[in-house]
């Protein structure tokens, strides 16, 4: 592949290492950027070259658009891969790349802007004929307006920030008094985190399943799905474990979901890799939730069942290469499960920074995408995820058995991790049956805390 000679990776940790691996495979040189806190991080030494971009605080380093652009120009990088998080869904960053004639490995700034607004995304999906959760289609300007509309929709409801994600700016309200109490607070939080105080209301769907569709689209109108991922094991609206295929879907429902995802992507003229997220209610009816206009944390699950390299696809599409595969070429084989490793207390979910004093890892039948090596410092400055454990089996039962064994073989000392919780999940009867929702952790808390 001769399109890019050098790619700057505007990220850190395991995703930076993951992107470096594919670039090495394609003989593309890489530039790692790092904060002062990450000077000894593995991704720094694994890249072709590395540049410090500022202090530990993300706003002064990984979120510093002008500094990242400056380093890209100084190192003569012809493309930037944003990974996930940080600047990956920031349309201003994508636009600055375009202005500097640096290829942004992702969708256009305008597409990112549209899908970054939950309200605009809802409107686009409705135009495409994709079902959205019943709710408001415009910004709520006052608590009085919110109360009036809430009475029409009926409680319980979710008050949501239109911008951002990660569970931030979402508030369940059961009645008028709760809505009055949290309305201004939620708007302020949205404005603080996302610089956008737009909020809206959606019907609360009790005990939903969270299932997403991986899509890939080139600049020539070719849009493909790479099947779905089940993401319903969550804590604080953030995923803990993902698997594919979903144990919940039958073939008819799966096909309906995949077709809806394709329709939505075509509606917005999307290019590159992205994810359409849906929730299913108790009647097996699904609704569009949001679109992630980037590579997902859980992309290895899809890679394991399809045999495709999603980072390679991203690079090729960004280089204006036409997709060389058709939908008929993409098959799913077996079952894959990913567990996210967090440096956190498994009971309270509080972060647990420190130094990895001991790291023993399994060597067979497992894929390990890690941010750490023995001796690594886990700082308190960034997300506590330190890696991912991925297994592939011939069947779901086979994959679960593999994951149970692999988790027993991992030994991380010096910090607390969520491995005890992951072990309990892997032997939980509800999980093993495949009959679980986003309430799984809350409903099984007592059992999962047993050691």
């Amino acid at each position: 592949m001769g399109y890019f000679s050098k790619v700057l990776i505007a990220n850190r940790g395991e995703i930076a290492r993951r992107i470096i691996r594919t670039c090495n495979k394609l003989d593309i040189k890489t530039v790692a950027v790092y904060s002062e806190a990450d000077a000894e991080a593995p991704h720094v030494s694994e890249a072709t070259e590395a540049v410090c971009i500022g202090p530990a605080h993300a706003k002064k380093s990984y979120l510093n658009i002008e500094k990242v652009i400056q380093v890209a120009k100084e190192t003569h990088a012809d493309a930037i891969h944003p990974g996930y998080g940080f600047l990956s869904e920031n349309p201003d960053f994508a636009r600055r790349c375009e202005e500097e004639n640096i290829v942004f490995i992702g969708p256009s700034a305008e597409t990112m802007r549209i899908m970054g607004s939950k309200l605009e995304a809802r409107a686009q999906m409705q135009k495409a004929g994709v079902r959205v959760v019943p709710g408001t289609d415009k910004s709520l300007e006052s608590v009085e307006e919110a109360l009036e509309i809430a009475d029409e929709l009926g409680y319980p409801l979710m008050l949501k920030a239109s911008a951002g994600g990660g569970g931030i700016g979402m508030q369940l309200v059961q009645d008028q008094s709760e809505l009055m109490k949290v309305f201004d607070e939620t708007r302020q939080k949205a404005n603080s985190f996302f610089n956008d105080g737009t909020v809206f209301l959606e019907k609360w769907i009790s005990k939903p399943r969270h299932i997403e569709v991986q899509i890939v689209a080139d600049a020539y109108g070719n849009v493909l799905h790479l099947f779905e991922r089940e993401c319903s094991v969550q804590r604080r609206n953030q995923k803990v474990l993902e698997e594919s295929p979903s144990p919940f879907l039958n073939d008819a429902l799966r096909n309906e979901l995949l077709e809806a995802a394709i329709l939505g992507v075509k509606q917005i003229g999307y290019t590159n890799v992205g994810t359409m997220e849906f929730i299913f209610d108790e009647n097996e009816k699904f609704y569009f939730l949001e679109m992630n206009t980037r590579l997902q944390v859980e992309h290895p699950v899809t890679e394991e069942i399809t045999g495709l390299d999603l980072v390679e696809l991203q690079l090729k599409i960004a280089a204006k290469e036409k997709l060389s595969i058709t939908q008929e070429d993409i098959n799913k084989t077996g079952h894959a499960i990913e567990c996210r490793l967090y440096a956190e207390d498994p009971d309270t979910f509080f972060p647990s920074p420190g130094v990895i004093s001991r790291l023993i890892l399994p060597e067979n039948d497992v894929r390990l995408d890690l941010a750490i090596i023995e001796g690594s410092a886990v700082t308190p400055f960034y997300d506590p995820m330190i890696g991912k454990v991925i297994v592939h089996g011939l069947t779901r039962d086979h994959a679960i058995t593999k994951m149970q064994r692999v988790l027993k073989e991992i030994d991380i000392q010096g910090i607390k991790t969520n491995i005890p919780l992951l072990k309990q999940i892997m032997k939980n009867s509800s999980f093993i049956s495949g009959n679980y929702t986003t309430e799984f952790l809350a409903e099984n808390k007592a059992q999962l805390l047993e050691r």
Side-chain angles (χ1 to χ4, degrees), residues 78-107:
D78 41 12
I80 294 179
H81 196 306
Y84 54 72
F86 292 133
L87 297 171
S88 63
E89 292 182 286
N90 187 317
D92 293 333
F93 181 51
R95 192 170 293 109
R96 285 292 290 119
C97 290
E98 292 168 9
E99 290 169 356
E100 297 293 342
N101 204 28
I102 301 168
V103 175
F104 178 82
I105 299 171

Side-chain angles (χ1 to χ4, degrees), residues 347-362:
D347 299 336
T348 65
F349 304 135
F350 290 159
S352 176
V355 175
I356 307 294
S357 58
R358 176 181 170 90
L359 181 62
I360 304 296
L361 301 170

Side-chain angles (χ1 to χ4, degrees), residues 37-285:
D38 278 340
E40 303 299 320
H43 79 278
V44 175
S45 59
E46 290 171 355
T48 311
E49 56 190 300
V51 179
C52 182
I53 54 170
H57 198 294
K59 285 188 176 180
K60 297 180 179 179
S61 52
Y62 296 108
L63 291 172
N64 188 335
I65 291 176
E66 293 309 317
K67 185 63 176 179
V68 173
I69 293 288
Q70 178 191 331
V71 172
K73 292 167 72 175
E74 289 175 352
T75 57
H76 305 289
D78 41 12
I80 294 179
H81 196 306
Y84 54 72
F86 292 133
L87 297 171
S88 63
E89 292 182 286
N90 187 317
D92 293 333
F93 181 51
R95 192 170 293 109
R96 285 292 290 119
C97 290
E98 292 168 9
E99 290 169 356
E100 297 293 342
N101 204 28
I102 301 168
V103 175
F104 178 82
I105 299 171
S108 70
E110 179 59 15
T111 300
M112 201 181 298
R113 183 196 66 77
I114 291 170
M115 298 312 285
S117 163
K118 293 183 179 69
L119 278 174
E120 288 203 42
R122 280 172 60 89
Q124 290 294 327
M125 292 306 106
Q126 287 174 307
K127 285 181 185 176
V130 177
R131 193 164 47 236
V132 300
V133 179
T136 56
D137 294 321
K138 65 183 184 67
S139 172
L140 298 171
E141 301 303 324
S142 67
V143 68
E144 290 78 16
E145 182 185 17
L147 288 167
E148 185 177 336
I149 293 173
D151 285 340
E152 294 173 11
L153 289 170
Y155 294 93
L157 294 162
M158 284 294 289
L159 180 63
K160 284 186 172 184
S162 179
I168 299 168
M170 293 171 55
Q171 184 68 49
L172 174 63
V173 291
Q174 300 282 0
D175 52 36
Q176 287 185 343
S177 61
E178 284 192 10
L179 180 54
M180 291 175 66
K181 182 179 178 182
V182 302
F183 183 80
D184 288 335
E185 176 189 324
T186 303
R187 288 183 75 185
Q188 289 166 7
K189 183 180 286 188
N191 198 48
S192 174
F193 276 90
F194 313 123
N195 199 32
D196 182 349
T198 303
V199 294
F200 67 104
L201 287 167
E202 275 186 351
K203 282 290 290 182
W204 165 247
I205 295 180
S206 174
K207 298 184 178 180
R209 295 191 74 118
H210 186 157
I211 304 177
E212 62 191 24
V213 178
Q214 179 68 66
I215 62 90
V216 57
D218 65 19
Y220 307 96
N222 299 301
V223 181
L224 309 174
H225 71 74
L226 306 185
F227 299 100
E228 83 285 351
R229 294 184 291 255
E230 173 70 61
C231 304
S232 297
V233 179
Q234 302 180 6
R235 54 100 167 104
R236 296 197 298 256
N237 296 309
Q238 293 182 320
K239 301 160 189 171
V240 175
L241 178 154
E242 303 92 1
E243 60 178 316
S244 185
S246 167
F248 171 70
L249 298 181
N250 57 40
D251 288 344
L253 198 51
R254 174 175 290 110
N255 289 336
E256 186 183 347
L257 175 69
L258 299 175
E259 287 172 10
I262 295 285
L263 276 175
V265 169
K266 286 183 174 179
Q267 167 66 29
I268 58 172
Y270 190 87
T271 57
N272 214 272
V273 162
T275 300
M276 298 284 283
E277 304 209 8
F278 298 85
I279 53 173
F280 282 72
D281 65 19
E282 291 173 303
N283 299 315
E284 300 186 359
K285 194 172 184 179

